[in-house]
Amino acid sequence: MISRINHAKSISKALNISEIAGWDRWNSFTETIIGFDLPSQQDEIVEFSRENVAAFSATIPGDYYYPIGQVFEPDVVREVCDLHGLDYEDVTTLRTHGGERLNELRDRMARVETMDDADAIVLASALVTLSRFELASSVLTRAGGRGARFQFEAALLRYIIGNRTQGRGLDVNLMSEVRRTAASQEVPAHRLLDACSIAVVWYLKGVGVTKEDFEWFARTGNTVVLEHGKKIPAVSTSAWYRGVAMIPAEIGDVSRTRALMNEAAVSAQRAMEDSDAPFARNLHKTYLESSVKEHLYVSRDEEKALQAAKDLVAWDPLWSVSAGEYADVLAAFGKAELAAETYDRATSLGAPYVTHHLRKAAQQYAKAGMTHRAIARYLVLASMLPDPSEVLATVDNMLDNNTHATLMAVRQQLAAS
């Protein structure tokens, strides 16, 4: 593994692609997803890291509350391990790296059988935010599950785990179990609304929710908001409005989509006014992400989509995902060269999605007719992958008599390796 990444570094250096320098950096995301910690430099911390660490630090014994933000697939953790020569199994089983918080997780894992329901859910939730899905599942199994609230929270976590690990092959019974357990009077209104938001969003994305369950969650969520109004934390109502905005978006209803997104924005702002916690700031970032998609796919308004993307990057400037989304907008509106340069920027910020952003940059340079730049990025990408054959085939189709000698030499080196 280390040799492959060292190979990629040497090829990147040989090709002198200064625009993507930093792709292998140990950044804020890496520090958090690997070691459940923050970098020492405050100006290098991304919102994902702030939210993850703050959520764990703010937990109260006996309280089920644990804000779960963005959860990444196992392949994202595997990519980080590949970039830094770490053993994936050691990382995902907490056998290596990390400081105080990771040590605390290990200690709690050893005490699962004696934990009360709430503490077991908090432990499993923390593991989910770090994409340690097998460990989280084992906590939910070993804890047993005594109360109705535990059953609901465990069912929702199992759905989230399945969503990230199984994708479109997800068993729909997982969300049906959430619905069954949600009927308990022990489930507070805001947590019921959170479940409704998740069900609505993922039904519309086609992942693991039946139409019957979707309709029940959509009706129930609407009832919860009407009956409880501002008593529900703004974090939950903002997520709800973003979710249901996808319903009119599906049929291209621009005005209704924007009206619901405005409600989401109001709730996000209220959340930040109520608390300076990172998960309130991350909520606003999520609103901006949804706004980008709204203007890209629903209103198809280039100016508004680009502005939303710029606002997103400005909110969390070191977050590679945001830079990549900005590049997505540029690409969608035919600005191939600028999109390629922005994907380069996303690559240079490091994990997550280094190989994805590198591939996208190469594709956009090719569209812009900048063949040599495209080939250079494809070659670096090929050196990172366990099976580079597809990428190298793409390169071979682009080679001609005008190809720079350095690119040809690197291609020959890869063929020989």
Side-chain angles (χ1 to χ4, degrees):
M1 186 60 62
I2 294 177
S3 61
R4 191 173 77 227
I5 296 305
N6 285 341
H7 193 200
K9 290 178 182 179
S10 66
I11 285 178
S12 182
K13 183 177 180 180
L15 295 175
N16 192 28
I17 314 175
S18 60
E19 298 89 345
I20 65 170
W23 59 266
D24 59 338
R25 69 176 67 200
W26 185 281
N27 60 9
S28 176
F29 175 77
T30 304
E31 188 73 40
T32 303
I33 204 72
I34 297 296
F36 205 11
D37 213 341
L38 299 175
S40 57
Q41 297 297 317
Q42 290 294 308
D43 59 353
E44 294 179 357
I45 301 175
V46 296
E47 297 293 352
F48 170 84
S49 296
R50 293 187 195 278
E51 179 186 40
N52 259 26
V53 171
F56 186 74
S57 301
T59 56
I60 301 172
D63 191 344
Y64 285 93
Y65 182 62
Y66 199 101
I68 294 180
Q70 189 166 5
V71 180
F72 287 92
E73 301 88 346
D75 283 350
V76 174
V77 182
R78 190 179 295 278
E79 179 186 62
V80 173
C81 290
D82 287 353
L83 289 176
H84 299 287
L86 304 175
D87 185 276
Y88 177 72
E89 185 177 351
D90 283 348
V91 167
T92 54
T93 55
L94 309 183
R95 289 204 297 262
T96 185
H97 302 284
E100 178 183 347
R101 274 170 291 276
L102 214 60
N103 286 334
E104 178 63 23
L105 289 183
R106 294 187 189 104
D107 290 343
R108 294 189 189 189
M109 285 293 299
R111 297 184 280 108
V112 169
E113 286 86 352
T114 60
M115 281 182 176
D116 64 23
D117 285 359
D119 290 346
I121 291 298
V122 164
L123 174 58
S125 298
L127 292 166
V128 164
T129 66
L130 296 172
S131 302
R132 306 305 203 269
F133 300 121
E134 287 190 16
L135 288 184
S137 296
S138 74
V139 168
L140 297 176
T141 300
R142 289 161 61 191
R146 296 160 285 275
R149 176 72 185 277
F150 177 94
Q151 296 294 338
F152 165 78
E153 298 289 355
L156 191 56
L157 283 173
R158 288 190 180 100
Y159 176 83
I160 294 171
I161 292 168
N163 183 291
R164 297 292 81 185
T165 58
Q166 299 174 35
R168 294 190 179 278
L170 180 60
D171 182 356
V172 295
N173 289 320
L174 290 171
M175 184 53 75
S176 295
E177 180 64 10
V178 176
R179 174 182 169 183
R180 186 189 68 78
T181 57
S184 169
Q185 294 298 312
E186 293 186 25
V187 178
H190 71 279
R191 290 299 292 148
L192 177 55
L193 188 62
D194 291 341
C196 292
S197 302
I198 291 171
V200 166
V201 166
W202 289 103
Y203 171 78
L204 294 170
K205 290 185 176 183
V207 181
V209 184
T210 66
K211 183 178 180 181
E212 180 183 355
D213 285 341
F214 159 71
E215 291 174 346
W216 184 88
F217 280 110
R219 289 194 306 269
T220 301
N222 187 56
T223 299
V224 169
V225 170
L226 290 174
E227 291 182 353
H228 297 274
K230 292 186 178 180
K231 293 180 182 179
I232 296 175
V235 171
S236 294
T237 56
S238 183
W240 167 251
Y241 284 121
R242 284 199 321 274
V244 293
M246 292 176 64
I247 298 175
E250 282 286 296
I251 58 174
D253 188 334
V254 176
S255 61
R256 182 58 180 157
T257 301
R258 175 70 338 226
L260 290 167
M261 286 295 291
N262 283 337
E263 293 286 355
V266 169
S267 291
Q269 183 60 39
R270 181 158 62 92
M272 286 191 290
E273 292 169 356
D274 291 345
S275 169
D276 62 352
F279 37 84
R281 283 185 51 82
N282 193 63
L283 185 69
H284 180 70
K285 187 187 75 172
T286 308
Y287 163 76
L288 291 173
E289 290 172 342
S290 297
S291 295
V292 170
K293 293 177 176 62
E294 172 196 358
H295 297 305
L296 183 58
Y297 300 115
V298 185
S299 68
R300 303 185 188 281
D301 188 312
E302 180 177 351
E303 183 178 350
K304 289 181 178 178
L306 287 170
Q307 187 57 56
K310 289 176 183 177
D311 291 344
L312 176 62
V313 171
W315 190 257
D316 200 5
L318 296 182
W319 187 227
S320 67
V321 180
S322 294
E325 293 203 26
Y326 184 18
D328 290 342
V329 175
L330 293 166
F333 289 108
K335 302 178 186 297
E337 182 176 355
L338 188 52
E341 292 171 352
T342 308
Y343 282 125
D344 275 350
R345 168 62 178 163
T347 305
S348 73
L349 291 172
Y353 303 142
V354 170
T355 54
H356 171 74
H357 291 145
L358 192 54
R359 185 188 298 270
K360 287 285 189 177
Q363 291 170 345
Q364 289 301 310
Y365 276 124
K367 284 188 178 182
M370 305 172 76
T371 306
H372 286 188
R373 288 195 176 191
I375 291 173
R377 283 148 185 81
Y378 274 131
L379 290 173
V380 175
L381 174 63
S383 66
M384 294 180 183
L385 301 176
D387 180 7
S389 57
E390 180 186 350
V391 173
L392 291 178
T394 300
V395 169
D396 290 343
N397 288 332
M398 301 173 72
L399 297 174
D400 58 31
N401 293 332
N402 295 319
T403 301
H404 195 280
T406 302
L407 297 177
M408 293 293 291
V410 170
R411 171 63 186 94
Q412 292 171 1
Q413 178 186 347
L414 285 170
S417 61

